Amino acid sequence: MLPRCLGKSSTLEILILMFNSFNGDIPPFCAKKNSLKLVGLGYNRLQGKLPRSMADCTRLEFLNIGNNQISDIFPSWLGVLQVLRGLILGSNAFHGIIGKPPTNHEFPNLCIIDLSNNLFSGMLPSKYMENWNFMKYVVANKGSQYFGSQYISTNKYTYYIVVSYNMIIHVKGVELTYVETPYVLRLIDFSSNRFEGEIPASIIGSLRALYFLNLSNNTLSGHIPSSLGNLTALESLDLSQNKLSGRIPGSLAQLTFLEYFNVSHNHLWGPIPLGQQFGTFLEDSYQGNSGLCGKPLSKKCEGSESSRLPPPSSFEEDEEAGFTFEFDWYVVLPGVVSGLVVGVVAGNTLADKKHEWFVETFRRRRKSTTARATRGRRT
Ligand SMILES: *[C@@H]1O[C@H](CO)[C@@H](O)[C@H](O)[C@H]1NC(C)=O
Ligand SMILES: *[C@@H]1O[C@H](CO)[C@@H](O)[C@H](O)[C@H]1NC(C)=O
Ligand SMILES: *[C@@H]1O[C@H](CO)[C@@H](O)[C@H](O)[C@H]1NC(C)=O
């Protein structure tokens, strides 16, 4: 069990107990005035709920509680934490709908959120996403005013943050120095839950600084919003294993940094967009959609289905969808909240495929430094 005194220290800044076999409840944290910035409890066997007292950890920047057995609802009460950057709750037993946030400024600094492999249901939390301003504006090397030299790890991505604003990706003993402000990474992983309904078009289209979006393995329906074409920093988009229908919007061909794209196992049809990155995706990005045609699939498009035609889902339609969605949202109503958290820092031993993929991505990105520097995103 985690010793109770852990939560009581007023000077502790970094607590990393990842990759152990701690079990039982998480003791109350931040009962007193505290300095906790990073809490990494991922990859243990912790149970019960997140201690509500964590809302008093006013300096908390990164919380990783991923890969435990926590059974709780979405910790909306952590939304008051003004400097929280990363919230990793993946692979637990979090459940229930994520309702409306109590105010319009919940999680104001959030850059990384991983809710994957839980039992969340209902609509995607669009009212929260609306407030995630840090995912909206591409930052031009503002420096890490919040961190000194620290080792941070999410469940899936492990990286160092060092004083010089360099990020070192660590996987399987390979070290890649990546000259970048640590918080340039913007990530949403809502995969493998029970989210349903449409992808909120206008809200998702406003999160322009996103690098990584994974909505795979839910029961999302409706069209793929063409507003995704506005996420110009996006490098990875996984929408596979949902119930999405309609065409793949041609606007996605504008995403020149997209390195991973997966829409397999949906109900999509029509031509696959041509050009740019779409020349690089292979057949297994599209499998399990009987209606798709065009390269790289062997099925040719019929005469009228030229790949260059704009998709039928115009942006107006998307806006409309967004509107209906918001209406539905009020019907669904709040009703959520609480839980606790944790997250961060730790092992460089994770070695799942995604990891390698991510590292590979960064490695390749380093090569394209010149191209991106012109846009002020690389030093
Ligand atoms: C997205 O999430 C699914 C399920 O959690 C996972 O299998 C898949 O590898 C993820 N995609 C990416 C690009 O990381
Ligand atoms: C992309 O952003 C521009 C500028 O804000 C906006 O006018 C346009 O409608 C957006 N396009 C989509 C497809 O969301
Ligand atoms: C896309 O996802 C499916 C399952 O969700 C997986 O089988 C397939 O390998 C993925 N494609 C790529 C290119 O990763």
Side-chain angles (χ1 to χ4, degrees), residues 116-117 156-157 189-192 212-217 236-238 240-241 260-262 353-354 357-358:
S116 65
N117 289 301
K156 295 176 178 174
Y157 324 108
D189 191 343
F190 290 161
S191 66
S192 296
F212 182 103
L213 177 61
N214 194 346
L215 302 178
S216 161
N217 197 15
S236 172
L237 177 60
D238 195 340
S240 63
Q241 304 196 75
Y260 183 91
F261 178 70
N262 200 338
K353 271 197 167 169
K354 239 172 291 178
W357 168 81
F358 211 64

Side-chain angles (χ1 to χ4, degrees), residues 42 50 105 129 148 157 169 171 202 216 241 339 358 362 369 375:
L50 294 182
H105 16 137
M129 292 158 78
Y157 324 108
I169 315 287
V171 168
S202 54
S216 161
Q241 304 196 75
F358 211 64
F362 277 83
T369 293
R375 309 193 321 169

